[in-house]
Each structure stands twice: as structure tokens, then as C-alpha cells.
Amino acid sequence: MASQAISKIFVVGGTGAQGIAVISGLVRDKKYHVRVLTRNKTSHRAKQLESLGNVEFIEGSFANESDLRAGYRGCDGAFINIDGFNCGEKTETYWAIRAYELAIEEGIKFFVYGNLDYGYKKSGYDPKYRCGHYDGKGRIAEWVLFQNQFNQGRMKAAVFTSGPYIEMAIASGTPVSPTVEDEIITWRLPLGSGAIPHVSLDDCGYYVRWMFDTIDKANGLNLEVAIEHVHYDDLARAFEAVTGHPARFIDVDLDTYWTKGPLSTTAELGGGYNSDPSDPAFMTVRQNFTGFWNLWKDSGRNQGIIKRDYKLLDEIHPNRIRTAEQWFRLINDQGVKDGSGSLWERVQPENMRPILKLAEDGMKGSL
């Protein structure tokens, strides 16, 4: 029997970078109505979502049962992407579980959990790859899919696994933010010969929409997405090909990155700005992102720790972005057309903008 059609979706994480793209995909043709949980429905990002139409807001916190219940009530779908940089890994684990349980209580028919790779497990539990905000989500993703084996008669569920947005490579306040040195755009990162499975935000919107459109196909699936495994030598060549301006990737060691890199000023602050430094589970930005970088250093050519099934992604999204150069060309052409500036203009220090909500909000110590 086909799954019941979904019409109204409750979203946690809707004003984040991924959330805006996901909601845009859901409401683009007004098939779905979306209710967004936000701390401030008058914020710039909330207003941006409101302008799309078919979007309503409820103010509150994901770390509050009453707010979650109010968000679910009257909806039949849910997309839950908890901000681990708000609460830290430990708190996210509890509230992600409660978000799933309360969704069943309140009659949600299809639940999609926003996830990241469980790199610690995929590495064989090697502490070198321990990355709190990735592992916290990855554990819950497995738990959700396990629960789904028993609960899908009441609520079907799936997992959407993304990764670092390629938009971060040309934005301020990210782990991969570039600099312009002597008119050369430069990425100084501890990546070696590894690669980052970058994700396009627009593609995220497409994939999540596909999940809600085809529930029976998506049910029980962990959809792990990416454009490609991006090697930063290739990224620099792609930037040059599109803009005609020189670009380079310079591999640095972790000590140099933490001394001079884009996260250097926040290295010893908390990985979650509401996490408790006295808690033994607390991780600093340095501890968290050291594991992050080790994952990518050992994931080159789609043959290392973190892999993607690109054939499956081609089947689901035949028009997906497949290379960094293709994405750069789209961004460059779009910027020239809408007046926001060419790709080269956008990476100048005075023009570079944040893409991550926490960077935009100015919350130092969380990314």
C-alpha cells in the first residue's frame, strides 16, 4: 500500500544554511506547507523564508518538549536538523531522540533526520577521527533507522546525510574560508592529498524534496549526498578556469592551521556555544575540527573513510551538480546576472559574506 501523502511539514533548523535550501525546495510549487521552529521569527533569515510563501513560524527551542509538540501538531511530515553548535554533542543526542519519539506521539507520518557522517565508527573507532558534531548526529541516524524497523507502521523515517557545503569555500567564518594574497585566492588547509565530499545547498533542497515526494522509496534510506570528493588542487584549478584569476591550495599542518587558519581565533572555545566547559563531554573547536580534518585527509578519490554512491545520486537527481567547476560557473553566472558580483568579486575580503547562520549571528566559538 502506498504511503499517505504529506501536506504539512514541521522543520527544525529551518533558518540555517541547509534549512533555507530545504524549505525553498519544499514550497517552490506550493505542494507543501512548512512550519518552522525558530528563536526569532522577525530575523532576517525568517523573513527570507516568509517571502517564499507557504511558510509559517513557531517561536521556541528544539530543547523544549512543549515547543516540539506545538510544532508537530497539525503536521504530517517532519525534517529535523538540530544545530549541534548550539547545544553540543551530548545535548543534541538527547533531544534528537526525543524529537523522534514525540513525532510518533503527535501523529507524524514521515520523519527525516538531518545527519552527518559517523566518521568515528566508519574509521573503526580510531580516536584520530573523533569529530563531535559529526559523531553525535551519526549515532542518532543509526538509532532512527533501527527504530524505523519496528515503528514504520505508525511513522516511516529516513536519514539525510550531507557534508560541508561547497558554498563554505567562498564564504567567511567557515573552516575552509579562503584568503586573497597578492591577488591570488588561497586556501591554506590541512588536507594533504585528501578530499572533502562537498555538498551543494541547492541540491540539498532537491534531495529532501525527493524524499517527501517518494516516501516509499526513501523510507529506511540513509541518503548520503555530495557533488564529488573535492581535492583542493582541483578546486583551485576550477576557480582559475572560471574566473581567469590565479588560485592555489597550500597544504599546511594542523599546528599551522590552528595558529593562523580561519578558525584560529576560536580554537580553544567551545564547539557548542551553549555547552558546559565543566562537562567531561565538552570539546573545544580545536578538538572537534582536528577530527574533521583527519576524516577528509583520509577520504581522497572516494576510496577512504567517507564514501558516496554517486551512481545512486545520479539516478535520484540526474541534473545534480557533479563538479566544483560546474558549481563555480553557476555561481559566477548567477552573480553577474543578478548584480551580486562575479565569483572573483565575491571572494574579495570586503565582499565575502557568511553562509553559516552562526557566523552571520556573530557567535564566536561555534561554526
Side-chain angles (χ1 to χ4, degrees), residues 130-161:
R130 178 82 171 85
C131 178
H133 74 293
Y134 270 61
D135 299 334
K137 288 188 180 298
R139 294 188 196 97
I140 296 300
E142 293 193 349
W143 182 87
V144 166
L145 294 179
F146 179 75
Q147 296 300 317
N148 188 54
Q149 298 176 38
F150 308 97
N151 298 326
Q152 59 184 294
R154 293 180 64 184
M155 181 179 81
K156 292 179 170 57
V159 169
F160 177 67
T161 301

Side-chain angles (χ1 to χ4, degrees), residues 3-271:
S3 297
Q4 175 181 331
I6 299 298
S7 60
K8 190 169 185 177
I9 300 168
F10 176 52
V11 174
V12 171
T15 58
Q18 184 182 130
I20 291 173
V22 166
I23 293 170
S24 297
L26 291 172
V27 304
R28 67 173 186 267
D29 56 2
K30 305 301 184 283
K31 178 179 179 180
Y32 299 104
H33 189 99
V34 173
R35 177 184 291 156
V36 181
L37 180 68
T38 180
R39 290 171 298 213
N40 179 9
K41 63 184 179 181
T42 65
S43 70
H44 165 71
R45 291 191 177 211
K47 292 297 185 183
Q48 180 182 346
L49 287 172
E50 187 176 38
S51 70
L52 299 174
N54 271 34
V55 177
E56 65 180 69
F57 298 93
I58 178 171
E59 286 192 332
S61 167
F62 64 79
N64 182 296
E65 276 200 20
S66 297
D67 293 342
L68 288 173
R69 289 185 186 277
Y72 285 133
R73 203 153 292 158
C75 294
D76 44 17
F79 178 77
I80 307 299
N81 188 20
I82 290 176
D83 179 5
F85 290 115
N86 176 318
C87 60
E89 177 184 7
K90 187 174 179 180
T91 300
E92 178 179 6
T93 299
Y94 173 81
W95 283 107
I97 289 173
R98 286 302 285 146
Y100 175 88
E101 294 169 340
L102 293 171
I104 293 181
E105 280 193 37
E106 295 295 337
I108 296 298
K109 301 303 180 185
F110 185 52
F111 179 98
V112 178
Y113 175 69
N115 184 45
L116 294 167
D117 287 279
Y118 192 178
Y120 181 44
K121 179 180 179 180
K122 289 182 176 182
S123 74
Y125 300 102
D126 185 332
K128 173 182 177 181
Y129 304 102
R130 178 82 171 85
C131 178
H133 74 293
Y134 270 61
D135 299 334
K137 288 188 180 298
R139 294 188 196 97
I140 296 300
E142 293 193 349
W143 182 87
V144 166
L145 294 179
F146 179 75
Q147 296 300 317
N148 188 54
Q149 298 176 38
F150 308 97
N151 298 326
Q152 59 184 294
R154 293 180 64 184
M155 181 179 81
K156 292 179 170 57
V159 169
F160 177 67
T161 301
S162 61
Y165 314 130
I166 193 166
E167 287 83 355
M168 292 162 56
I170 59 167
S172 61
T174 83
V176 295
S177 293
T179 55
V180 178
E181 304 171 16
D182 298 323
E183 296 299 307
I184 305 172
I185 185 169
T186 304
W187 290 273
R188 294 180 180 270
L189 305 172
L191 187 56
S193 60
I196 301 177
H198 272 306
V199 174
S200 158
L201 287 171
D202 284 345
D203 281 354
C204 287
Y206 181 98
Y207 288 122
V208 174
R209 172 63 184 260
W210 174 86
M211 297 176 88
F212 281 98
D213 282 350
T214 59
I215 293 173
D216 288 326
K217 292 181 179 179
N219 180 45
L221 178 66
N222 180 359
L223 182 58
E224 299 179 323
V225 306
I227 293 172
E228 64 171 340
H229 278 60
V230 178
H231 293 257
Y232 265 58
D233 280 330
D234 295 338
L235 183 82
R237 283 191 288 268
F239 188 93
E240 285 190 1
V242 172
T243 67
H245 291 274
R248 62 187 174 183
F249 160 62
I250 298 177
D251 183 45
V252 299
D253 59 36
L254 280 164
D255 286 341
T256 300
Y257 179 80
W258 289 119
T259 302
K260 300 179 180 179
L263 302 187
S264 58
T265 60
T266 63
E268 305 309 324
L269 300 179

